[in-house]
Amino acid sequence: MFKIIIASHGCLAEAMKKSVKLFFPQENDLVTASIGEDGLVPFQAQLDKIFDNLKGQNVLFLVDLSYGTPFNEIVKRMSLLGKDSDIIAGVSMATLIEAINLRNQKMEIKKVVPKLIEASQLQSYSDRLATVGNDDDE
């Protein structure tokens, strides 16, 4: 089993954690870290505390932006964690829900990550929506 940490700018991470309760009411094993208006130093302290509690464990980080501050600060600390730990950038609810679902199935991170990348692909439905209802127009 692995830990899931959501890290973001602003309140995105905490809002996602709260929204998870709609899908998994009993989910209590998510940790969040956010950089806010108070800046980098408090965020770094928050991450240091999280990493101290997770030394040697396998952790999946879901961050909002590639190479943003949360991503960069996590990368600096990754050597403290288990060898199968990973980071996925561009977190979405679809990615988070699938990560929890796969973790609950006792899957390992190295098998979970490819599935999350697939699940988090953007999709456009404009072509499908354009054909819906056209039969009624004739």
Side-chain angles (χ1 to χ4, degrees):
M1 188 106 129
F2 56 90
K3 293 286 192 181
I4 298 173
I5 312 291
I6 312 162
S8 71
H9 296 83
C11 59
L12 177 65
E14 192 60 35
M16 292 181 80
K17 180 179 178 178
K18 288 179 183 175
S19 295
V20 160
K21 295 290 188 179
L22 295 170
F23 302 92
F24 298 98
Q26 304 305 316
E27 178 58 54
N28 294 316
D29 199 22
L30 291 176
V31 176
T32 62
S34 300
I35 184 167
E37 294 176 5
D38 44 347
L40 181 61
V41 173
F43 179 67
Q44 289 171 323
Q46 184 181 24
L47 284 181
D48 288 341
K49 184 176 178 181
I50 289 169
F51 274 78
D52 284 345
N53 292 327
L54 298 173
K55 283 186 180 173
Q57 295 184 48
N58 290 321
V59 181
L60 177 63
F61 291 93
L62 302 174
V63 300
D64 56 354
L65 298 170
S66 296
Y67 306 108
T69 301
F71 178 94
N72 293 334
E73 290 298 317
I74 290 166
V75 168
K76 291 177 187 178
R77 296 163 174 80
M78 288 293 286
S79 64
L80 301 171
L81 303 175
K83 65 179 178 64
D84 288 335
S85 296
D86 208 339
I87 305 172
I88 293 182
V91 66
S92 67
M93 279 303 292
T95 308
L96 178 56
I97 295 300
E98 187 66 7
I100 294 167
N101 185 40
L102 295 172
R103 180 184 66 184
N104 290 348
Q105 295 176 40
K106 310 282 191 245
M107 290 186 73
E108 299 173 353
I109 289 179
K110 61 185 171 186
K111 292 181 181 177
V112 167
V113 168
K115 292 180 180 296
L116 295 180
I117 291 169
E118 183 179 331
S120 63
Q121 297 296 311
L122 295 175
Q123 299 177 25
S124 171
Y125 291 95
S126 61
D127 290 339
R128 191 176 302 160
L129 291 173
T131 61
V132 173
N134 283 347
D135 293 339
D136 296 337
D137 293 340
E138 294 178 9

